[in-house]
Amino acid sequence: MIEERNPTRTKLDFLYQEVLGEVAGLTTRIEQVTAAQATTTTQLLEASAQATAMVNACANLPIALDKQLQATMEHTGRRLNVEAAQATVTAMADLQKPLRSLAESSTRYAHIAHLSMRKMALIAVVVGAIAGIVGGLLAGIALGRYWGY
């Protein structure tokens, strides 16, 4: 009896095994797709977290840039002030000698001019006094002749 087999049953067993093989292949493919979907979901969640972190970093960026820019401007301003002060001191030191020499020369010329003016004033007083005396004598002589003395 064992040797007697039902041919329909063999075909049915064959179809059953083929369907089971197809179901097993489909199940394997579904499991692979599910695993890939889980990996993709995890990657999307990580990317979302990174995007959120980037948005937060970008939101703080103007504040950080403002502080950095302000610090840079203050540092540069201080450095430029120091350089300008040094350049001014150097320029003043370079100008100080010629200005001192010019001041000394001007002082000498002013002293010479003052002495010359004093001499000219003294000469003018002496000449004026002599002219007054001579004029007075001439007037006295002229009046003496006119009045007959």
Side-chain angles (χ1 to χ4, degrees):
M1 282 215 305
I2 296 179
E3 297 193 12
E4 256 184 62
R5 287 194 170 177
N6 189 356
T8 34
R9 185 81 178 145
T10 309
K11 286 183 185 177
L12 187 61
D13 286 340
F14 178 71
L15 285 174
Y16 182 69
Q17 286 178 356
E18 192 175 318
V19 168
L20 281 178
E22 290 292 323
V23 168
L26 288 174
T27 304
T28 304
R29 285 179 58 194
I30 289 172
E31 288 173 352
Q32 290 173 350
V33 167
T34 304
Q37 191 176 22
T39 304
T40 304
T41 303
T42 304
Q43 290 173 348
L44 285 174
L45 288 174
E46 289 174 3
S48 176
Q50 289 176 352
T52 303
M54 289 299 288
V55 166
N56 290 338
C58 287
N60 294 332
L61 188 62
I63 295 169
L65 283 176
D66 180 45
K67 289 180 181 177
Q68 181 66 31
L69 182 62
Q70 186 176 7
T72 301
M73 289 176 64
E74 286 177 4
H75 175 70
T76 304
R78 283 189 204 113
R79 193 178 77 229
L80 287 176
N81 282 341
V82 167
E83 288 176 8
Q86 289 174 349
T88 303
V89 166
T90 303
M92 293 302 284
D94 291 344
L95 287 175
Q96 197 170 18
K97 285 184 180 180
L99 288 176
R100 184 172 287 133
S101 173
L102 184 62
E104 289 171 359
S105 297
S106 297
T107 303
R108 273 184 275 148
Y109 294 141
H111 183 68
I112 291 169
H114 179 69
L115 290 176
S116 297
M117 286 296 136
R118 286 181 72 185
K119 287 179 184 176
M120 288 169 45
L122 182 61
I123 291 171
V125 168
V126 170
V127 168
I130 293 172
I133 292 171
V134 170
L137 285 175
L138 288 175
I141 293 173
L143 282 176
R145 285 195 184 175
Y146 178 72
W147 291 98
Y149 292 105

